[in-house]
Amino acid sequence: MPALVLLGAQWGDEGKGKATDLLGGSVDYVVRYQGGNNAGHTVVVGDQKYALHLLPSGILSPGCTPVIGNGVVVDPAVLLSELSGLNERGVDTSKLLVSGNAHLITPYHTTLDKVGERFLGKRKIGTTGRGIGPTYADKINRVGIRVQDLYDESILTQKVEAALDFKNQILAKLYNRRAIVPAQIVEELLGYAEQIKPFVADTTLILNNAIDEGKVVLFEGGQGTLLDVDHGTYPFVTSSNPTSGGACTGAGVGPTKINRVIGILKAYTTRVGAGPFPTELFDEDGEKLRTIGGERGVTTGRDRRCGWFDAVIARYATRVNGLTDFFLTKLDVLTGWEQIPVCVAYEIDGKRVEELPYSQTDFHHAKPVYEMLPGWSEDISKAKTFADLPKNAQAYVKALEEMSGAPISAIGVGPGRDETIEINSFL
Ligand code: GDP
Ligand code: IMO
Ligand code: MG
Protein backbone atom coordinates (compact mmCIF):
# COMPACT_ATOMS: atom_id res chain seq x y z
CA MET A 1 0.00 0.00 0.00
CA PRO A 2 2.54 2.65 -1.03
CA ALA A 3 0.46 5.85 -1.47
CA LEU A 4 -2.69 7.08 0.24
CA VAL A 5 -4.52 10.39 0.21
CA LEU A 6 -6.31 11.58 3.33
CA LEU A 7 -8.64 14.54 2.83
CA GLY A 8 -11.62 16.40 4.22
CA ALA A 9 -14.98 15.24 2.89
CA GLN A 10 -16.97 18.30 4.05
CA TRP A 11 -16.03 21.98 4.67
CA GLY A 12 -12.83 21.37 6.63
CA ASP A 13 -12.14 20.69 10.32
CA GLU A 14 -13.29 17.08 10.03
CA GLY A 15 -10.41 15.82 12.16
CA LYS A 16 -7.75 15.35 9.45
CA GLY A 17 -4.95 16.21 11.88
CA LYS A 18 -5.90 13.47 14.28
CA ALA A 19 -6.36 10.92 11.49
CA THR A 20 -3.01 11.79 9.88
CA ASP A 21 -1.23 11.63 13.21
CA LEU A 22 -2.80 8.26 13.91
CA LEU A 23 -1.34 6.83 10.69
CA GLY A 24 1.91 8.80 11.03
CA GLY A 25 3.55 6.09 13.11
CA SER A 26 3.17 3.57 10.26
CA VAL A 27 4.04 5.69 7.23
CA ASP A 28 7.38 6.89 5.89
CA TYR A 29 6.33 10.29 4.50
CA VAL A 30 3.43 12.65 5.23
CA VAL A 31 2.98 15.27 2.50
CA ARG A 32 0.92 18.48 2.48
CA TYR A 33 -0.05 19.12 -1.16
CA GLN A 34 -2.12 22.34 -1.11
CA GLY A 35 -3.25 25.23 1.06
CA GLY A 36 -1.05 26.91 3.62
CA ASN A 37 -1.41 28.23 7.12
CA ASN A 38 -5.14 28.75 6.61
CA ALA A 39 -5.36 25.16 7.89
CA GLY A 40 -5.69 24.45 11.59
CA HIS A 41 -5.09 20.83 12.53
CA THR A 42 -5.35 19.77 16.16
CA VAL A 43 -3.44 16.72 17.29
CA VAL A 44 -3.73 15.34 20.80
CA VAL A 45 -0.91 13.04 21.94
CA GLY A 46 -1.36 11.87 25.52
CA ASP A 47 -1.83 15.03 27.57
CA GLN A 48 -0.17 17.20 24.92
CA LYS A 49 -2.20 19.21 22.42
CA TYR A 50 -0.60 20.58 19.24
CA ALA A 51 -2.13 23.08 16.78
CA LEU A 52 -0.49 22.76 13.38
CA HIS A 53 -1.15 25.16 10.52
CA LEU A 54 1.43 24.77 7.77
CA LEU A 55 3.41 21.72 8.82
CA PRO A 56 2.13 18.23 7.96
CA SER A 57 0.63 16.44 10.97
CA GLY A 58 3.19 13.63 10.44
CA ILE A 59 5.83 15.92 11.96
CA LEU A 60 4.85 14.56 15.39
CA SER A 61 5.75 10.97 14.46
CA PRO A 62 9.49 10.41 14.92
CA GLY A 63 9.97 7.87 12.09
CA CYS A 64 8.10 9.90 9.52
CA THR A 65 9.51 12.45 7.04
CA PRO A 66 7.21 15.48 6.74
CA VAL A 67 7.05 17.12 3.31
CA ILE A 68 5.67 20.46 2.12
CA GLY A 69 4.86 19.86 -1.55
CA ASN A 70 5.02 22.23 -4.51
CA GLY A 71 1.26 22.89 -4.34
CA VAL A 72 1.46 24.45 -0.88
CA VAL A 73 1.78 28.20 -0.28
CA VAL A 74 4.40 28.89 2.37
CA ASP A 75 4.57 31.90 4.67
CA PRO A 76 8.24 31.73 5.65
CA ALA A 77 7.72 33.59 8.94
CA VAL A 78 4.99 31.13 9.93
CA LEU A 79 7.11 28.17 8.85
CA LEU A 80 10.00 29.22 11.08
CA SER A 81 7.85 30.11 14.07
CA GLU A 82 5.90 26.84 13.84
CA LEU A 83 9.19 24.91 13.70
CA SER A 84 10.69 26.73 16.66
CA GLY A 85 7.46 26.28 18.66
CA LEU A 86 7.71 22.51 18.13
CA ASN A 87 11.46 22.45 18.85
CA GLU A 88 10.81 24.17 22.18
CA ARG A 89 8.42 21.34 23.02
CA GLY A 90 11.08 18.75 22.19
CA VAL A 91 9.80 17.73 18.73
CA ASP A 92 12.57 16.93 16.24
CA THR A 93 11.76 18.75 12.99
CA SER A 94 15.09 18.22 11.24
CA LYS A 95 13.68 15.75 8.68
CA LEU A 96 11.31 18.31 7.13
CA LEU A 97 11.50 18.71 3.33
CA VAL A 98 10.17 21.77 1.50
CA SER A 99 9.66 21.89 -2.26
CA GLY A 100 11.73 24.55 -4.00
CA ASN A 101 8.73 25.08 -6.29
CA ALA A 102 6.27 25.97 -3.52
CA HIS A 103 5.10 29.59 -3.66
CA LEU A 104 5.81 32.08 -0.90
CA ILE A 105 3.20 34.12 0.94
CA THR A 106 4.72 37.58 1.43
CA PRO A 107 3.46 40.46 3.56
CA TYR A 108 1.82 42.04 0.50
CA HIS A 109 -0.29 38.92 -0.05
CA THR A 110 -1.53 39.00 3.52
CA THR A 111 -2.28 42.73 3.26
CA LEU A 112 -4.16 42.25 -0.01
CA ASP A 113 -6.19 39.39 1.48
CA LYS A 114 -7.31 41.56 4.39
CA VAL A 115 -8.03 44.77 2.49
CA GLY A 116 -9.72 42.79 -0.29
CA GLU A 117 -12.13 41.24 2.18
CA ARG A 118 -12.86 44.62 3.73
CA PHE A 119 -13.53 46.01 0.25
CA LEU A 120 -16.04 43.23 -0.47
CA GLY A 121 -18.05 44.25 2.63
CA LYS A 122 -21.06 42.01 3.10
CA ARG A 123 -20.08 40.01 0.00
CA LYS A 124 -16.87 38.87 1.70
CA ILE A 125 -15.76 35.21 1.69
CA GLY A 126 -14.71 35.23 5.35
CA THR A 127 -11.15 34.15 4.55
CA THR A 128 -8.61 33.37 7.23
CA GLY A 129 -6.69 36.52 6.22
CA ARG A 130 -3.49 34.55 5.74
CA GLY A 131 -2.81 35.71 2.16
CA ILE A 132 -3.84 32.40 0.58
CA GLY A 133 -6.03 33.71 -2.29
CA PRO A 134 -3.66 36.50 -3.42
CA THR A 135 -0.67 34.10 -3.38
CA TYR A 136 -2.44 31.49 -5.54
CA ALA A 137 -3.67 34.31 -7.81
CA ASP A 138 -0.05 35.40 -8.36
CA LYS A 139 0.98 31.79 -9.02
CA ILE A 140 -1.65 31.39 -11.74
CA ASN A 141 -0.91 34.89 -13.03
CA ARG A 142 2.79 33.92 -13.27
CA VAL A 143 4.00 36.70 -10.97
CA GLY A 144 4.54 34.56 -7.87
CA ILE A 145 7.69 34.19 -5.78
CA ARG A 146 8.91 30.64 -5.13
CA VAL A 147 11.00 29.14 -2.35
CA GLN A 148 13.91 28.66 -4.80
CA ASP A 149 13.91 32.42 -5.55
CA LEU A 150 15.26 33.00 -2.02
CA TYR A 151 18.62 31.72 -3.28
CA ASP A 152 19.10 34.13 -6.18
CA GLU A 153 18.96 37.71 -4.91
CA SER A 154 18.90 39.27 -8.36
CA ILE A 155 15.97 37.15 -9.55
CA LEU A 156 14.15 37.65 -6.24
CA THR A 157 14.51 41.43 -6.55
CA GLN A 158 13.27 41.47 -10.14
CA LYS A 159 10.26 39.32 -9.28
CA VAL A 160 9.27 41.31 -6.20
CA GLU A 161 9.60 44.56 -8.16
CA ALA A 162 7.47 43.17 -11.00
CA ALA A 163 4.79 41.98 -8.60
CA LEU A 164 4.68 45.23 -6.66
CA ASP A 165 4.68 47.52 -9.72
CA PHE A 166 1.07 46.53 -10.30
CA LYS A 167 0.01 45.85 -6.72
CA ASN A 168 1.19 49.22 -5.44
CA GLN A 169 -1.14 50.92 -7.91
CA ILE A 170 -4.03 48.89 -6.52
CA LEU A 171 -3.01 49.44 -2.91
CA ALA A 172 -2.64 53.20 -3.32
CA LYS A 173 -5.40 54.04 -5.79
CA LEU A 174 -8.12 51.54 -4.87
CA TYR A 175 -7.53 50.72 -1.23
CA ASN A 176 -6.01 54.02 -0.17
CA ARG A 177 -3.02 52.28 1.43
CA ARG A 178 0.64 53.21 1.43
CA ALA A 179 2.73 51.60 -1.34
CA ILE A 180 5.04 48.74 -0.28
CA VAL A 181 8.77 49.24 -0.89
CA PRO A 182 10.16 46.25 -2.87
CA ALA A 183 13.59 46.44 -1.21
CA GLN A 184 12.00 45.96 2.22
CA ILE A 185 10.21 42.81 1.09
CA VAL A 186 13.39 41.47 -0.50
CA GLU A 187 15.33 42.15 2.70
CA GLU A 188 12.72 40.42 4.84
CA LEU A 189 12.59 37.36 2.57
CA LEU A 190 16.38 37.09 2.39
CA GLY A 191 16.40 37.13 6.18
CA TYR A 192 14.59 33.77 6.16
CA ALA A 193 16.62 32.17 3.36
CA GLU A 194 19.48 30.58 5.30
CA GLN A 195 17.22 29.12 8.00
CA ILE A 196 14.98 27.48 5.40
CA LYS A 197 17.78 26.27 3.12
CA PRO A 198 18.50 22.94 4.88
CA PHE A 199 14.92 21.81 4.22
CA VAL A 200 14.68 22.74 0.53
CA ALA A 201 14.64 19.72 -1.77
CA ASP A 202 13.43 18.23 -5.05
CA THR A 203 10.43 16.71 -3.31
CA THR A 204 8.77 15.17 -6.39
CA LEU A 205 11.92 13.16 -7.10
CA ILE A 206 12.22 12.02 -3.49
CA LEU A 207 8.54 11.06 -3.23
CA ASN A 208 8.43 9.16 -6.53
CA ASN A 209 11.59 7.25 -5.61
CA ALA A 210 10.11 6.47 -2.19
CA ILE A 211 6.92 5.08 -3.73
CA ASP A 212 8.92 3.01 -6.23
CA GLU A 213 10.91 1.55 -3.32
CA GLY A 214 7.67 0.46 -1.61
CA LYS A 215 7.79 3.14 1.11
CA VAL A 216 4.43 4.30 2.43
CA VAL A 217 3.53 7.88 1.51
CA LEU A 218 0.50 9.67 2.94
CA PHE A 219 -0.78 12.83 1.26
CA GLU A 220 -2.57 15.02 3.80
CA GLY A 221 -5.16 17.49 2.50
CA GLY A 222 -5.89 20.82 4.11
CA GLN A 223 -9.43 22.28 4.10
CA GLY A 224 -12.10 20.02 2.54
CA THR A 225 -13.90 18.89 -0.62
CA LEU A 226 -16.59 21.60 -0.45
CA LEU A 227 -13.88 24.28 -0.10
CA ASP A 228 -12.17 23.11 -3.33
CA VAL A 229 -11.84 25.93 -5.87
CA ASP A 230 -13.17 23.66 -8.68
CA HIS A 231 -15.52 21.30 -6.87
CA GLY A 232 -16.62 23.29 -3.82
CA THR A 233 -19.28 25.89 -3.16
CA TYR A 234 -17.59 28.51 -5.36
CA PRO A 235 -16.98 31.41 -4.73
CA PHE A 236 -17.17 30.53 -1.01
CA VAL A 237 -14.12 28.30 -1.21
CA THR A 238 -10.38 28.38 -0.68
CA SER A 239 -8.05 28.98 -3.63
CA SER A 240 -6.60 25.48 -4.08
CA ASN A 241 -7.62 21.86 -4.74
CA PRO A 242 -8.00 19.84 -1.53
CA THR A 243 -9.72 17.08 -3.57
CA SER A 244 -7.70 13.98 -4.42
CA GLY A 245 -6.51 15.23 -7.83
CA GLY A 246 -4.75 18.04 -5.98
CA ALA A 247 -2.44 15.47 -4.41
CA CYS A 248 -1.07 14.64 -7.88
CA THR A 249 -0.45 18.21 -9.03
CA GLY A 250 0.50 19.46 -5.58
CA ALA A 251 3.13 16.79 -4.98
CA GLY A 252 4.19 15.78 -8.50
CA VAL A 253 2.99 12.18 -8.23
CA GLY A 254 0.94 10.50 -10.97
CA PRO A 255 -2.59 9.18 -10.29
CA THR A 256 -1.47 5.62 -11.09
CA LYS A 257 0.72 5.70 -7.97
CA ILE A 258 -2.15 6.37 -5.55
CA ASN A 259 -4.08 3.36 -4.34
CA ARG A 260 -6.27 4.59 -1.51
CA VAL A 261 -8.23 7.78 -0.89
CA ILE A 262 -9.63 8.24 2.61
CA GLY A 263 -12.32 10.85 3.25
CA ILE A 264 -12.45 12.27 6.77
CA LEU A 265 -16.10 12.76 7.61
CA LYS A 266 -17.53 14.34 10.74
CA ALA A 267 -20.63 12.63 12.18
CA TYR A 268 -22.35 16.04 11.78
CA THR A 269 -21.37 19.09 9.69
CA THR A 270 -19.51 22.34 10.37
CA ARG A 271 -18.35 25.27 8.29
CA VAL A 272 -16.30 28.43 8.97
CA GLY A 273 -16.71 31.60 6.90
CA ALA A 274 -19.48 32.56 4.48
CA GLY A 275 -21.41 30.44 1.97
CA PRO A 276 -24.34 28.06 1.68
CA PHE A 277 -24.83 25.28 4.25
CA PRO A 278 -28.19 23.48 3.89
CA THR A 279 -28.23 21.65 7.24
CA GLU A 280 -27.03 24.62 9.32
CA LEU A 281 -28.79 24.94 12.69
CA PHE A 282 -29.64 28.25 14.32
CA ASP A 283 -31.30 26.73 17.38
CA GLU A 284 -30.17 25.14 20.63
CA ASP A 285 -29.16 21.91 18.84
CA GLY A 286 -26.62 23.93 16.85
CA GLU A 287 -25.34 25.52 20.05
CA LYS A 288 -25.14 22.10 21.69
CA LEU A 289 -23.09 20.65 18.81
CA ARG A 290 -20.78 23.69 18.98
CA THR A 291 -20.28 23.37 22.73
CA ILE A 292 -19.93 19.60 23.01
CA GLY A 293 -17.87 19.37 19.81
CA GLY A 294 -15.60 22.29 20.77
CA GLU A 295 -16.36 23.81 17.38
CA ARG A 296 -14.17 26.90 17.46
CA GLY A 297 -11.62 27.57 14.70
CA VAL A 298 -8.01 26.55 15.41
CA THR A 299 -6.66 29.26 13.09
CA THR A 300 -8.91 32.28 13.54
CA GLY A 301 -10.78 31.44 16.75
CA ARG A 302 -14.12 31.98 15.00
CA ASP A 303 -17.13 29.94 16.12
CA ARG A 304 -17.85 27.24 13.57
CA ARG A 305 -21.33 27.08 12.05
CA CYS A 306 -22.87 23.71 12.99
CA GLY A 307 -25.53 21.45 11.46
CA TRP A 308 -26.70 17.87 11.04
CA PHE A 309 -24.96 15.26 8.88
CA ASP A 310 -25.52 15.78 5.15
CA ALA A 311 -25.40 12.55 3.13
CA VAL A 312 -25.72 14.42 -0.18
CA ILE A 313 -22.37 16.05 0.51
CA ALA A 314 -20.79 12.77 1.62
CA ARG A 315 -21.94 11.07 -1.62
CA TYR A 316 -20.54 13.98 -3.61
CA ALA A 317 -17.19 13.67 -1.79
CA THR A 318 -17.11 9.96 -2.67
CA ARG A 319 -17.70 10.82 -6.32
CA VAL A 320 -15.29 13.71 -6.91
CA ASN A 321 -12.45 12.17 -4.89
CA GLY A 322 -12.90 8.51 -5.82
CA LEU A 323 -12.98 7.71 -2.10
CA THR A 324 -12.15 4.15 -1.11
CA ASP A 325 -12.91 4.63 2.62
CA PHE A 326 -14.30 7.01 5.17
CA PHE A 327 -12.92 7.81 8.62
CA LEU A 328 -15.98 8.93 10.60
CA THR A 329 -14.97 11.35 13.37
CA LYS A 330 -16.63 12.81 16.46
CA LEU A 331 -19.34 10.18 16.82
CA ASP A 332 -19.04 10.71 20.60
CA VAL A 333 -20.32 14.29 20.22
CA LEU A 334 -23.75 12.95 19.18
CA THR A 335 -24.23 11.03 22.43
CA GLY A 336 -27.31 12.21 24.31
CA TRP A 337 -29.77 13.07 21.54
CA GLU A 338 -32.97 11.05 21.57
CA GLN A 339 -33.24 11.26 17.80
CA ILE A 340 -30.66 12.43 15.29
CA PRO A 341 -31.80 13.98 12.00
CA VAL A 342 -29.73 13.09 8.94
CA CYS A 343 -30.14 14.91 5.61
CA VAL A 344 -30.72 12.26 2.94
CA ALA A 345 -31.67 14.52 0.01
CA TYR A 346 -32.56 18.14 -0.78
CA GLU A 347 -35.78 19.74 -1.78
CA ILE A 348 -35.10 22.39 -4.41
CA ASP A 349 -38.02 24.47 -5.68
CA GLY A 350 -40.47 21.72 -4.71
CA LYS A 351 -38.46 18.82 -6.23
CA ARG A 352 -36.54 16.10 -4.37
CA VAL A 353 -32.89 16.02 -5.43
CA GLU A 354 -30.52 13.20 -4.46
CA GLU A 355 -27.22 14.61 -5.78
CA LEU A 356 -25.44 17.89 -5.10
CA PRO A 357 -26.70 20.38 -7.71
CA TYR A 358 -23.97 21.87 -9.90
CA SER A 359 -25.81 25.20 -10.04
CA GLN A 360 -24.98 27.72 -7.32
CA THR A 361 -28.54 29.10 -7.46
CA ASP A 362 -30.03 25.65 -6.86
CA PHE A 363 -27.66 24.95 -4.00
CA HIS A 364 -28.62 28.22 -2.33
CA HIS A 365 -32.27 27.11 -2.56
CA ALA A 366 -31.63 23.57 -1.26
CA LYS A 367 -33.63 22.60 1.81
CA PRO A 368 -32.64 19.45 3.67
CA VAL A 369 -34.93 16.41 3.64
CA TYR A 370 -34.36 14.72 7.00
CA GLU A 371 -34.67 11.14 8.14
CA MET A 372 -34.74 10.64 11.92
CA LEU A 373 -32.39 8.03 13.35
CA PRO A 374 -32.67 6.84 16.96
CA GLY A 375 -29.98 8.21 19.30
CA TRP A 376 -28.08 6.71 22.25
CA SER A 377 -27.17 7.93 25.72
CA GLU A 378 -24.30 5.61 26.72
CA ASP A 379 -20.76 7.02 26.91
CA ILE A 380 -18.94 5.67 23.83
CA SER A 381 -15.56 7.29 24.40
CA LYS A 382 -14.01 4.05 25.71
CA ALA A 383 -15.31 1.88 22.86
CA LYS A 384 -12.48 -0.05 21.17
CA THR A 385 -14.43 -2.18 18.70
CA PHE A 386 -17.55 -1.67 16.64
CA ALA A 387 -19.33 -4.23 18.83
CA ASP A 388 -18.63 -2.03 21.92
CA LEU A 389 -20.91 0.67 20.49
CA PRO A 390 -24.58 0.78 21.56
CA LYS A 391 -26.92 -0.73 18.96
CA ASN A 392 -28.30 2.67 17.90
CA ALA A 393 -24.80 4.10 17.42
CA GLN A 394 -23.93 1.06 15.28
CA ALA A 395 -27.10 1.62 13.26
CA TYR A 396 -26.25 5.33 12.82
CA VAL A 397 -22.81 4.42 11.43
CA LYS A 398 -24.24 1.74 9.14
CA ALA A 399 -26.92 4.14 7.84
CA LEU A 400 -24.31 6.83 7.10
CA GLU A 401 -22.12 4.27 5.34
CA GLU A 402 -24.98 3.14 3.12
CA MET A 403 -25.94 6.71 2.20
CA SER A 404 -22.37 7.90 1.61
CA GLY A 405 -21.17 5.31 -0.90
CA ALA A 406 -17.92 4.07 0.67
CA PRO A 407 -17.09 1.87 3.65
CA ILE A 408 -16.50 3.52 7.04
CA SER A 409 -13.17 1.99 8.02
CA ALA A 410 -12.53 3.87 11.27
CA ILE A 411 -14.59 5.76 13.84
CA GLY A 412 -13.39 8.54 16.13
CA VAL A 413 -14.86 8.49 19.63
CA GLY A 414 -12.63 11.19 21.16
CA PRO A 415 -9.79 13.56 20.24
CA GLY A 416 -6.91 11.33 21.45
CA ARG A 417 -4.82 9.05 19.21
CA ASP A 418 -6.19 5.94 20.92
CA GLU A 419 -9.83 7.07 20.90
CA THR A 420 -10.43 5.38 17.59
CA ILE A 421 -12.28 2.24 16.52
CA GLU A 422 -10.46 0.61 13.63
CA ILE A 423 -12.71 -1.50 11.40
CA ASN A 424 -10.55 -2.05 8.29
CA SER A 425 -6.83 -1.31 8.32
CA PHE A 426 -5.77 1.62 6.11
CA LEU A 427 -2.33 0.18 5.48
P1 GDP B 1 -8.80 19.33 10.90
O1 GDP B 1 -8.64 20.73 10.45
O2 GDP B 1 -9.56 18.50 9.93
O3 GDP B 1 -7.50 18.68 11.30
O4 GDP B 1 -9.70 19.37 12.22
P2 GDP B 1 -9.54 20.39 13.46
O5 GDP B 1 -8.36 19.98 14.24
O6 GDP B 1 -9.62 21.80 12.98
O7 GDP B 1 -10.89 20.12 14.23
C1 GDP B 1 -11.22 18.85 14.70
C2 GDP B 1 -11.34 18.90 16.24
O8 GDP B 1 -11.98 17.73 16.69
C3 GDP B 1 -10.01 18.95 16.96
O9 GDP B 1 -10.17 19.70 18.13
C4 GDP B 1 -9.73 17.48 17.29
O10 GDP B 1 -8.92 17.32 18.44
C5 GDP B 1 -11.12 16.99 17.56
N1 GDP B 1 -11.39 15.58 17.22
C6 GDP B 1 -10.90 14.84 16.18
N2 GDP B 1 -11.48 13.62 16.16
C7 GDP B 1 -12.34 13.60 17.21
C8 GDP B 1 -13.27 12.60 17.70
O11 GDP B 1 -13.42 11.52 17.17
N3 GDP B 1 -14.01 12.98 18.80
C9 GDP B 1 -13.88 14.20 19.43
N4 GDP B 1 -14.65 14.46 20.48
N5 GDP B 1 -13.03 15.12 18.98
C10 GDP B 1 -12.28 14.83 17.89
P1 IMO C 1 -8.58 22.91 7.88
O1 IMO C 1 -7.39 22.33 7.15
C1 IMO C 1 -12.21 25.31 7.70
C2 IMO C 1 -12.26 28.62 4.81
C3 IMO C 1 -12.28 30.04 5.37
C4 IMO C 1 -13.07 30.74 4.28
C5 IMO C 1 -12.55 30.04 3.01
C6 IMO C 1 -11.47 30.81 2.28
O2 IMO C 1 -8.31 23.24 9.31
O3 IMO C 1 -9.78 22.07 7.66
P2 IMO C 1 -8.88 31.18 2.77
O4 IMO C 1 -8.18 31.85 3.90
O5 IMO C 1 -8.49 29.75 2.58
O6 IMO C 1 -8.79 31.97 1.48
O7 IMO C 1 -10.45 31.20 3.18
O8 IMO C 1 -12.06 28.78 3.42
N1 IMO C 1 -11.14 27.78 5.32
C7 IMO C 1 -11.29 26.79 6.21
N2 IMO C 1 -12.39 26.36 6.89
N3 IMO C 1 -11.04 24.66 7.86
C8 IMO C 1 -9.94 25.05 7.17
O9 IMO C 1 -8.79 24.36 7.18
C9 IMO C 1 -10.02 26.20 6.33
N4 IMO C 1 -9.15 26.85 5.54
C10 IMO C 1 -9.85 27.81 4.92
O10 IMO C 1 -12.94 30.09 6.62
O11 IMO C 1 -14.44 30.44 4.40
MG1 MG D 1 -9.03 22.67 11.10
Side-chain angles (χ1 to χ4, degrees):
M1 186 54 62
L4 318 86
V5 181
L6 191 155
L7 53 81
Q10 293 150 320
W11 275 288
D13 304 323
E14 299 90 347
K16 299 176 292 293
K18 173 189 152 163
T20 303
D21 171 66
L22 188 70
L23 297 177
S26 329
V27 307
D28 299 298
Y29 293 83
V30 172
V31 188
R32 278 284 307 270
Y33 56 87
Q34 47 67 237
N37 58 308
N38 48 347
H41 299 166
T42 314
V43 180
V44 180
V45 186
D47 61 355
Q48 295 287 308
K49 189 168 169 176
Y50 299 88
L52 300 168
H53 297 284
L54 175 60
L55 294 169
S57 305
I59 199 140
L60 299 173
S61 302
C64 175
T65 301
V67 180
I68 293 180
N70 57 278
V72 175
V73 286
V74 178
D75 185 325
V78 171
L79 175 65
L80 293 174
S81 83
E82 214 167 302
L83 285 172
S84 70
L86 288 177
N87 294 154
E88 278 163 24
R89 296 175 69 178
V91 178
D92 175 17
T93 57
S94 59
K95 285 175 141 178
L96 177 72
L97 301 175
V98 179
S99 167
N101 286 347
H103 280 246
L104 290 174
I105 302 177
T106 74
Y108 54 81
H109 293 114
T110 320
T111 300
L112 283 165
D113 191 358
K114 289 178 183 153
V115 294
E117 280 279 277
R118 225 170 291 147
F119 193 73
L120 281 172
K122 64 179 183 351
R123 293 185 301 260
K124 71 177 181 191
I125 306 294
T127 72
T128 60
R130 301 298 192 264
I132 306 297
T135 306
Y136 278 114
D138 276 5
K139 171 177 172 173
I140 300 304
N141 216 10
R142 294 158 298 188
V143 289
I145 314 291
R146 295 190 291 175
V147 168
Q148 60 180 286
D149 297 328
L150 294 174
Y151 307 103
D152 187 328
E153 186 173 344
S154 152
I155 284 200
L156 179 68
T157 305
Q158 287 174 45
K159 288 188 174 176
V160 171
E161 281 172 355
L164 279 175
D165 253 1
F166 176 74
K167 289 184 176 62
N168 274 334
Q169 303 280 336
I170 306 265
L171 280 170
K173 294 186 180 145
L174 187 63
Y175 296 126
N176 207 17
R177 306 275 296 206
R178 210 174 297 153
I180 294 171
V181 182
Q184 280 175 4
I185 298 290
V186 171
E187 192 188 335
E188 179 177 332
L189 292 177
L190 288 175
Y192 304 124
E194 283 313 304
Q195 283 169 277
I196 293 176
K197 203 170 187 178
F199 305 119
V200 181
D202 184 349
T203 52
T204 76
L205 181 64
I206 292 167
L207 291 172
N208 278 283
N209 285 344
I211 293 172
D212 291 345
E213 286 164 18
K215 298 255 167 50
V216 184
V217 179
L218 177 68
F219 299 94
E220 178 196 14
Q223 294 77 51
T225 300
L226 274 297
L227 286 172
D228 186 283
V229 68
D230 284 276
H231 301 293
T233 46
Y234 190 90
F236 302 102
V237 293
T238 192
S239 301
S240 65
N241 290 115
T243 50
S244 56
C248 296
T249 49
V253 167
T256 50
K257 301 271 170 90
I258 291 170
N259 10 30
R260 208 144 174 191
V261 185
I262 305 157
I264 313 302
L265 187 67
K266 214 181 274 197
Y268 51 97
T269 314
T270 62
R271 166 161 214 175
V272 194
F277 179 179
T279 63
E280 182 169 16
L281 293 166
F282 300 95
D283 58 7
E284 59 196 39
D285 279 332
E287 200 47 52
K288 209 168 136 188
L289 286 173
R290 189 172 304 117
T291 310
I292 302 174
E295 297 297 353
R296 181 174 279 259
V298 183
T299 300
T300 57
R302 290 178 288 181
D303 275 353
R304 293 174 182 156
R305 301 158 63 191
C306 296
W308 299 122
F309 183 82
D310 185 335
V312 183
I313 280 173
R315 276 199 290 281
Y316 179 72
T318 305
R319 166 160 47 107
V320 296
N321 293 300
L323 295 182
T324 56
D325 306 75
F326 280 113
F327 188 144
L328 186 72
T329 60
K330 304 190 98 162
L331 186 64
D332 53 302
V333 174
L334 293 179
T335 301
W337 266 275
E338 227 165 84
Q339 287 201 305
I340 308 170
V342 168
C343 168
V344 295
Y346 299 143
E347 192 193 296
I348 302 174
D349 301 330
K351 282 202 196 96
R352 185 182 165 109
V353 174
E354 307 281 338
E355 297 292 341
L356 198 93
Y358 72 85
S359 140
Q360 186 186 352
T361 311
D362 284 351
F363 195 57
H364 277 272
H365 293 170
K367 294 198 179 61
V369 176
Y370 285 118
E371 215 169 79
M372 303 303 275
L373 299 181
W376 60 92
S377 55
E378 300 89 332
D379 174 17
I380 61 168
S381 63
K382 304 281 177 300
K384 293 284 170 243
T385 67
F386 189 69
D388 293 341
L389 292 174
K391 285 281 168 289
N392 285 352
Q394 291 186 13
Y396 185 81
V397 173
K398 282 288 157 205
L400 263 47
E401 180 173 83
E402 200 146 298
M403 292 171 196
S404 305
I408 291 175
S409 294
I411 302 167
V413 291
R417 251 183 203 174
D418 51 348
E419 289 169 308
T420 305
I421 297 173
E422 201 179 322
I423 299 170
N424 307 309
S425 169
F426 289 119
L427 299 167

